[in-house]
Amino acid sequence: MRGAMRLLVIEDETGLGRAVCEHLRNAGHAADLVGDLESAQVAVATTHYDLLLLDLGLPDGDGIGFLRALRRGGFSPPILITTARDRITQRIEGLKAGADDYLVKPFDLDELLARIEVNLNRANMTVTTMREFGAISIDTSTKRVVLNGAAVDMTRREWSLVDRLSSRPARVFSKAELEDSLYGHGFEVESNSIEAIVSRVRAKLGKSAIVTVRGLGYRMGGA
């Protein structure tokens, strides 16, 4: 599957929401957490998300109406319902409203991650998995980077950076955008973390693999 996906967790049980976000981040995703529909609406309006995890019983309303409104408005990324409502009729209602999957609480975090990855893969099946930049080859389906025919070992953060930059190679990503992409909103990030990751990637792939655009940020280069 493609790496460095941006996910929104809409969950009012703070402990569960934090545990889910931590599990997703450990798997290489960026995850944001909100606890009500109003915050979710703001997040979706201001940030591009690749997938939503939606609880239904929220303090300021029912998630089904929010789901229907998103789909009517053209929101296309996968939406997974996570809820304590376990009746078949309730599952059918959620799926008919536009959900791609339905997981009943309590659930196993590894099962949740597996369902997320299946839905992300399904959503991106038509996207090519190979990206070429001179001597650098990137296979997003296996998270594999090859330089001059030899595989290069990448840490999770290094891979996430390479994946994000190579996804739109002509675009310059600001440091703040990369921090949000790799860590998520509200995650405490050291001031030089992106620079450190860029330096490590350059050491492995060559100085020209990532181009610094002075005053703006970074873009994908080549080798």
Side-chain angles (χ1 to χ4, degrees):
M1 61 163 288
R2 297 171 65 190
M5 295 291 99
R6 188 65 175 273
L7 313 179
L8 179 64
V9 179
I10 307 167
E11 172 60 64
D12 67 328
E13 294 181 42
T14 305
L16 174 60
R18 287 176 177 169
V20 168
C21 286
E22 181 180 1
H23 200 69
L24 296 177
R25 289 167 184 152
N26 288 338
H29 301 297
D32 300 329
L33 174 64
V34 296
D36 54 66
L37 293 177
E38 182 179 359
S39 300
Q41 289 168 344
V42 173
V44 171
T46 57
T47 303
H48 170 76
Y49 288 104
D50 299 289
L51 181 144
L52 306 188
L53 292 176
L54 175 64
D55 185 20
L56 296 183
L58 294 162
D60 54 347
D62 189 272
I64 290 291
F66 174 73
L67 171 57
R68 287 196 182 103
L70 281 180
R71 293 308 194 202
R72 284 197 301 266
F75 186 85
S76 61
I79 299 176
L80 278 65
I81 290 176
T82 57
T83 182
R85 302 177 189 175
D86 60 355
R87 295 206 307 267
I88 291 296
T89 54
Q90 293 170 324
R91 297 188 193 196
I92 292 172
E93 181 186 21
L95 295 170
K96 284 186 174 180
D100 295 272
D101 207 343
Y102 196 108
L103 196 57
V104 176
K105 299 177 182 178
F107 50 77
D108 181 82
L109 290 176
D110 286 332
E111 180 185 0
L112 173 66
L113 180 60
R115 290 183 182 236
I116 286 171
E117 294 185 345
V118 165
N119 280 277
L120 286 172
N121 278 334
R122 186 181 298 132
N124 292 294
M125 278 191 334
T126 59
V127 179
T128 179
T129 64
M130 292 301 301
R131 303 168 184 167
E132 304 285 343
F133 301 91
I136 300 171
S137 298
I138 301 167
D139 187 343
T140 61
S141 66
T142 60
K143 298 185 179 180
R144 188 167 181 261
V145 180
V146 173
L147 175 64
N148 292 317
V152 179
D153 288 332
M154 290 273 168
T155 67
R156 179 167 56 86
R157 297 290 184 208
E158 290 164 3
W159 162 257
S160 295
L161 178 71
V162 169
D163 178 67
R164 180 57 72 188
L165 292 176
S166 65
S167 68
R168 300 179 66 181
R171 180 182 169 185
V172 177
F173 288 84
S174 70
K175 179 181 174 180
E177 285 178 313
L178 292 174
E179 287 177 347
D180 277 350
S181 177
L182 270 63
Y183 296 96
H185 287 314
F187 193 92
E188 191 171 336
V189 183
E190 294 184 8
S191 60
N192 66 340
S193 60
I194 295 299
E195 289 87 345
I197 298 171
V198 168
S199 178
R200 294 200 302 268
V201 170
R202 284 173 171 161
K204 294 180 178 182
L205 299 181
K207 292 182 178 180
S208 62
I210 298 177
V211 177
T212 300
V213 181
R214 191 176 300 275
L216 295 176
Y218 303 95
R219 66 172 174 82
M220 194 68 193

